[in-house]
Amino acid sequence: MNTAARRSLVTAVQRYFSLPPEEAETVLAELEPVVCRGGEWLFRQGESADCMYLLARGRLQVWMAPAHGRDGGDKLIAEVGPSEMIGEVGLLTGGERSAGLRAVRSSLLLKMSSAAFDRLVQRHPALMRRVAGGIAERLRERTAGGTTVSRKFSTIALMPLDGGPSAQALASRLRELLEPQGSVLILAESQLDALGAPPLPATAQEELSPAMVEWLAAREAEHRFVLYVADPVEGAWREVAVRHADLVLLVADAGADAEVRPWERVMFGASAGAATRRALVLNHPGRPEKLSGTAAWLEDREPDFHLHVRSGVPGDTERLARIIAGTSVGLVLGGGAARGFAHLGVYRALLEAGIPVDWIGGSSIGAILGAGMSVSEDPRLVIDRARAAFVGGKPFGDVTFPIVSFLRGRRMERLIDEYLGGEIEDLAIPFFAISSNLGDGSVRVHERGSLPRALRASASLPGIFPPAVIDRKLTVDGGILDNLPVDVMRDRPVGRIVAVDVTARRNYEVDYDVVPSPWTLLAARMLPFARRYRVPGTMSMLMMAMSIGTMESSLRAGQRADLLVQPLLGGYGFTDVRPFDRIVEVGYQAARQSLENGSFKRQQNDNQGQAR
């Protein structure tokens, strides 16, 4: 075993078990080193659980098959980084593996058999407490509904789809942006000799020499980030870059041919076995107001996500850097009809506090307003457009004969088409909307395709607006099933989440024992001296009834966010757009107070000021 590998193993034992070096050596003697290459399975779900592993170097993904009777393939539920234990629950309880483990990149592990565990626990009783504590922490995360998929990356491969300087230029800019988080090393094949690296293999099919493996491991240990700059030309360095990366950035000029390159099929096809996460980065010259053509780039590719980088918009590259560093912010906006105008005030408060928004998702009115934020990052312009659409356009005013719904929805459709046209994948800020399938009760996440159709589906309040038709299926308001989609956002590469819950919680008391008859209510409205009754209208009653079912779930989802903003909106009606500016102000003040009282802004400053 080479020196770097042994050093990694000792370090992993020391960190996990909190042992001094001499005791770490005795523990290490009981463990068996194991190498799992990128794309290979360490074990699969259902196999016998007869040992556990400590990851010393590399990265693994945890995959789980869907529950019995559910459709869909295996799902990525977690990632494992260095100095983390794997399989301890199975070893202690016996039985079969509850999930499969696959190497993202070549990984070095320590295997601990059941017999070795028994011997070590007798000599080091504290080891059992450490293992039990790790299990308890994992169970707590799972109970909270969060995910342990890594939201930060250490090694990034930048690969231009067509050669040229684009990847090198992006790497240089990323180094500037990432250095406040820690030291950054750019590795390109042309620099290896000058840096004292051992020679590469003659072909991509040959294994790296132990000396090269040790040299790369040393570079990764010395730096917080290593940016591997490769090119599409076949060779050993291209393989090295991909096999040692936590994230592969496929860099392309948006105006180029979008067809999948032959080498992409070789490296990332189903038979390639690569498990590394990939992102498509589309470069745009200048600062175009409207992007287009992204669907062609995504048609035959399956990146984990994609980003637009406009050369005239520095914030685009800054967003990519935050995603890599794990400091990006996702904004989740809940449903609540006109009360959702408070989302606009929250957005303004976040930007004024120096908290840029990197990913946006929402349900119902939250989806519509969130899409407006993704179209334009200027909060004043977003607010002005929303005011013109909702106050001037009066989408809640086109009443129709209530066969399917009280409102025709024509005004809402026209306003969405006017202000929020285009495709979701062309938005500068990544965005998703939530809708509910009326037939099978499933949640649909809209991340591609027509933005107006997705918003129309997400905001189709049952009984208020007609249901939307998506893929020949009736679809209704996303808030019915997931009014505050924090967990959906957790699956995106964001470091922290701000959730805005606009469901109103208040005591609603009336001054009568029995609801008056319709004729009594009509007389109360028509006659000047008749008694007035506080009875909600039909549409308000429907919206209040629907919000009852989402209050508790929205609260639980909001508690899983890093910052929950809950504006006090009980005094505002669901369909009354007249107090637009007052509602926006309520959201603005609620967000400012939440930022002042909580630790979110403090964490932001801590992340930005970490020592190199």
Side-chain angles (χ1 to χ4, degrees), residues 151-469:
R151 301 186 187 95
K152 61 182 178 181
F153 306 94
S154 297
T155 56
I156 299 92
L158 294 90
M159 298 191 64
L161 292 185
D162 299 305
S166 59
Q168 184 67 52
L170 180 59
S172 298
R173 178 60 179 144
L174 286 175
R175 176 169 57 187
E176 297 175 8
L177 297 170
L178 292 171
E179 279 184 339
Q181 306 292 325
S183 62
V184 183
L185 174 66
I186 296 178
L187 283 180
E189 186 173 6
S190 60
Q191 301 169 313
L192 295 179
D193 290 342
L195 293 171
L200 290 168
T203 67
Q205 288 70 39
E206 295 181 40
E207 294 290 334
L208 287 179
S209 66
M212 186 60 171
V213 172
E214 182 173 349
W215 188 85
L216 290 173
R219 302 291 80 74
E220 293 178 16
E222 292 169 357
H223 300 278
R224 168 66 179 86
F225 302 98
V226 176
L227 307 181
Y228 291 90
V229 179
D231 57 56
V233 178
E234 183 178 2
W237 181 244
R238 189 179 73 177
E239 295 292 326
V240 168
V242 171
R243 299 303 176 188
H244 285 76
D246 299 329
L247 174 68
V248 175
L249 299 180
L250 299 175
V251 185
D253 292 329
D257 183 1
E259 185 178 356
V260 176
R261 282 46 170 175
W263 64 265
E264 285 186 88
R265 299 187 189 278
V266 174
M267 294 207 71
F268 306 118
S271 60
T276 306
R277 279 192 275 176
R278 302 190 303 279
L280 176 65
V281 179
L282 292 176
N283 290 321
H284 304 264
R287 48 184 310 134
E289 293 185 5
K290 192 173 183 61
L291 305 178
S292 62
T294 310
W297 288 95
L298 300 176
E299 184 175 0
D300 293 322
R301 292 179 177 88
E302 289 297 332
D304 292 88
F305 59 95
H306 72 277
L307 293 173
H308 296 281
V309 174
R310 296 162 291 180
S311 61
V313 184
D316 289 351
T317 313
E318 293 168 3
R319 174 173 298 109
L320 174 58
R322 287 190 294 270
I323 288 175
I324 290 173
T327 60
S328 57
V329 174
L331 178 60
V332 178
L333 307 175
R339 294 170 177 175
F341 299 151
H343 294 318
L344 301 168
V346 174
Y347 182 61
R348 174 189 160 202
L350 290 174
L351 297 189
E352 287 183 0
I355 301 175
V357 174
D358 300 303
W359 216 288
I360 300 175
S363 288
S364 196
I365 189 67
I368 293 177
L369 297 177
M373 299 169 194
S374 293
V375 168
S376 173
E377 299 179 50
D378 184 345
R380 293 171 299 179
L381 183 58
V382 174
I383 292 172
D384 288 345
R385 287 177 174 175
R387 184 189 298 107
F390 284 95
V391 180
K394 297 180 173 60
F396 298 114
D398 58 344
V399 179
T400 186
F401 195 73
I403 296 178
V404 176
S405 61
F406 282 97
L407 303 179
R408 291 184 301 173
R410 300 275 180 85
R411 291 186 187 177
M412 182 69 82
E413 287 183 1
R414 177 177 54 80
L415 292 169
I416 289 175
D417 289 338
E418 179 180 352
Y419 290 97
L420 299 171
E423 306 295 307
I424 298 175
E425 55 266 40
D426 291 327
L427 294 173
I429 299 179
F431 170 81
F432 66 82
I434 300 296
S435 66
S436 304
N437 189 309
L438 193 59
D440 60 13
S442 62
V443 172
R444 175 158 184 164
V445 182
H446 302 264
E447 293 183 286
R448 296 185 187 179
S450 169
L451 178 60
R453 287 180 63 85
L455 299 180
R456 171 75 175 82
S458 185
S460 293
L461 287 160
I464 307 299
F465 291 110
V469 179

Side-chain angles (χ1 to χ4, degrees), residues 66-134:
H68 179 69
R70 294 188 179 180
D71 296 330
D74 290 358
K75 181 179 181 181
L76 175 64
I77 61 171
E79 282 197 358
V80 181
S83 301
E84 291 188 49
M85 190 66 75
I86 308 158
E88 65 271 40
V89 176
L91 177 66
L92 295 178
T93 61
E96 299 178 344
R97 299 289 188 190
S98 59
L101 267 290
R102 190 185 190 193
V104 174
R105 44 182 296 208
S106 294
S107 301
L108 178 63
L109 306 98
L110 286 166
K111 179 179 179 180
M112 184 184 298
S113 66
S114 178
F117 179 73
D118 291 339
R119 290 193 298 269
L120 287 171
V121 168
Q122 289 180 0
R123 294 200 299 267
H124 305 279
L127 265 63
M128 174 58 85
R129 290 197 297 273
R130 177 65 184 90
V131 172

